[in-house]
Amino acid sequence: MDLNWLQDFVCLARTLNFTRAAEERNITQPAFSRRIKALENWIGVPLIKRSTYPVQLSEAGQQFLPVARNAIAEITDIRQTIRAQERGVTAFQRFAVLHTISVNYLSRRIGQMERDIPNLRVRVYSDNLRACCQMLSDGACDFLLCYSHRDVQPIFDGAQFTRKDIGTEKIFPVAQAEVARRRGWNLDSVNATPMPYLGYDPSSFLGTVVDQTIGRREPPLALCYMDALTEAIKRRTLSGSGLSWLPESVVADEIADGRIIRVGGESWEATLTLSLFCSLDRLDKTGRDVWETL
């Protein structure tokens, strides 16, 4: 038995698509299919109905799915506990978190929690939403901290986890102040000339949110740069390279000192909810203190 087989199976049960599941597991589809087949051979019966589209779990697959999930969680938890006991220290509280939230929120909050929670040790895995959701599903982290939006939800079975919304913030279009004023960049202007646009990777969470916010409107945006990292887009924005959508927490200081200004009204903004997910029954005492504190 290989733990990867169980993680692959849980991922496939959620996506019901071999190609997508292989991408999320970061292996080729043939290799992914072989591992699922190896798991079926080990159990002795098919777990997947491959004749349907999308694929479906067989009756045996449905029966085995909760067992696989529990096995992943228990093995991961006991590994962390044993390692911590061997070192004689408190176990790490493991966070999977979006890059933007890690830089602009979590690092500050960890500093505050360290004053209130004795012997707190934190390990942060910063990645994109898909990878963070997969870590939570696989039991590879204790907490998932991410944005959610009415049009874009986290990628996992929400019934498995407890959710706590701990704040909201706006994301809106901004640009470097001097350049924006000189060139007249404003999404609300009538007959505005094309404006250079610094966009998110369309497959990213914020890329999807911005796309939904723009909707069917056709603002005069000329896409000239694309990145999945908010901090990279912020640097390009500060250099005057174009306008972008950035979360308020990312540009609060720059707006306050006048280096960045908004270039569109409220109709161009969206509300992001900062959400925390975990399995409460898998947290140790320190983990529960973290849950209550955040």
Side-chain angles (χ1 to χ4, degrees), residues 264-281:
E266 292 183 0
S267 67
W268 299 100
E269 70 181 28
T271 299
L272 305 173
T273 300
L274 186 58
S275 300
L276 182 68
F277 296 86
C278 76
S279 291
L280 284 175
D281 57 351

Side-chain angles (χ1 to χ4, degrees), residues 71-291:
I72 292 168
E74 290 180 8
I75 290 172
T76 303
D77 288 348
I78 194 62
R79 179 181 63 183
Q80 183 192 15
T81 300
I82 290 173
R83 287 177 175 179
Q85 290 174 343
E86 181 69 20
R87 293 191 298 266
V89 297
T90 304
F92 278 99
Q93 303 303 313
R94 301 163 300 166
F95 281 83
V97 58
L98 300 185
H99 292 282
T100 303
I101 299 173
S102 177
V103 172
N104 295 287
Y105 173 78
L106 185 59
S107 58
R108 171 173 51 83
R109 289 295 285 119
I110 290 173
Q112 295 169 346
M113 287 192 296
E114 286 173 339
R115 296 194 294 268
D116 301 324
I117 302 175
N119 303 316
L120 176 65
R121 305 172 79 232
V122 175
R123 180 168 184 175
V124 176
Y125 302 92
S126 297
D127 214 318
N128 59 49
L129 181 61
R130 175 176 292 181
C132 289
C133 289
Q134 188 64 52
M135 289 186 67
L136 184 67
S137 296
D138 291 346
C141 68
D142 304 297
F143 302 98
L144 166 63
L145 188 59
C146 66
Y147 289 129
S148 56
H149 183 265
R150 65 177 184 273
D151 296 322
V152 191
Q153 294 301 317
I155 313 166
F156 55 77
D157 183 359
Q160 297 182 61
F161 305 101
T162 304
R163 170 176 174 168
K164 176 193 289 187
D165 292 336
I166 59 178
T168 61
E169 70 169 312
K170 302 291 187 181
I171 181 172
F172 40 69
V174 297
Q176 200 273 344
E178 181 181 351
V179 175
R181 293 191 182 103
R182 185 173 69 248
R183 299 187 181 179
W185 290 348
N186 193 317
L187 291 170
D188 293 321
S189 297
V190 179
N191 299 322
T193 57
M195 295 171 278
Y197 173 40
L198 314 172
Y200 295 98
D201 186 298
S203 65
S204 68
F205 174 82
L206 291 180
T208 305
V209 170
V210 172
D211 183 65
Q212 294 286 343
T213 302
I214 294 174
R216 295 181 179 274
R217 294 176 289 184
E218 297 182 358
L221 298 175
L223 183 63
C224 63
Y225 178 80
M226 186 181 297
D227 205 308
L229 293 179
T230 305
E231 292 301 314
I233 292 177
K234 176 183 176 179
R235 293 192 189 98
R236 296 281 294 167
T237 303
L238 281 168
S239 72
S241 300
L243 68 85
S244 63
W245 267 259
L246 290 171
E248 187 173 11
S249 63
V250 175
V251 291
D253 291 341
E254 290 77 10
I255 289 178
D257 63 25
R259 283 182 290 163
I260 280 180
I261 60 172
R262 295 182 60 154
V263 291
E266 292 183 0
S267 67
W268 299 100
E269 70 181 28
T271 299
L272 305 173
T273 300
L274 186 58
S275 300
L276 182 68
F277 296 86
C278 76
S279 291
L280 284 175
D281 57 351
R282 286 167 48 195
L283 298 180
D284 59 16
K285 181 182 182 304
T286 302
R288 287 184 174 272
D289 288 342
V290 169
W291 173 260

Side-chain angles (χ1 to χ4, degrees), residues 2-18 21-22 24-28 31-37 39 48 65 68 72 134 138:
D2 186 332
L3 183 60
N4 282 318
W5 298 355
L6 299 180
Q7 293 169 333
D8 292 344
F9 173 66
V10 170
C11 184
L12 181 58
R14 176 172 53 79
T15 62
L16 299 178
N17 184 290
F18 274 87
E24 291 191 16
R25 296 290 294 152
N26 199 30
I27 61 174
T28 65
F32 181 86
S33 297
R34 286 195 296 270
R35 296 205 312 208
I36 293 295
K37 190 63 178 176
L39 177 61
I48 306 297
L65 179 58
I72 292 168
Q134 188 64 52
D138 291 346

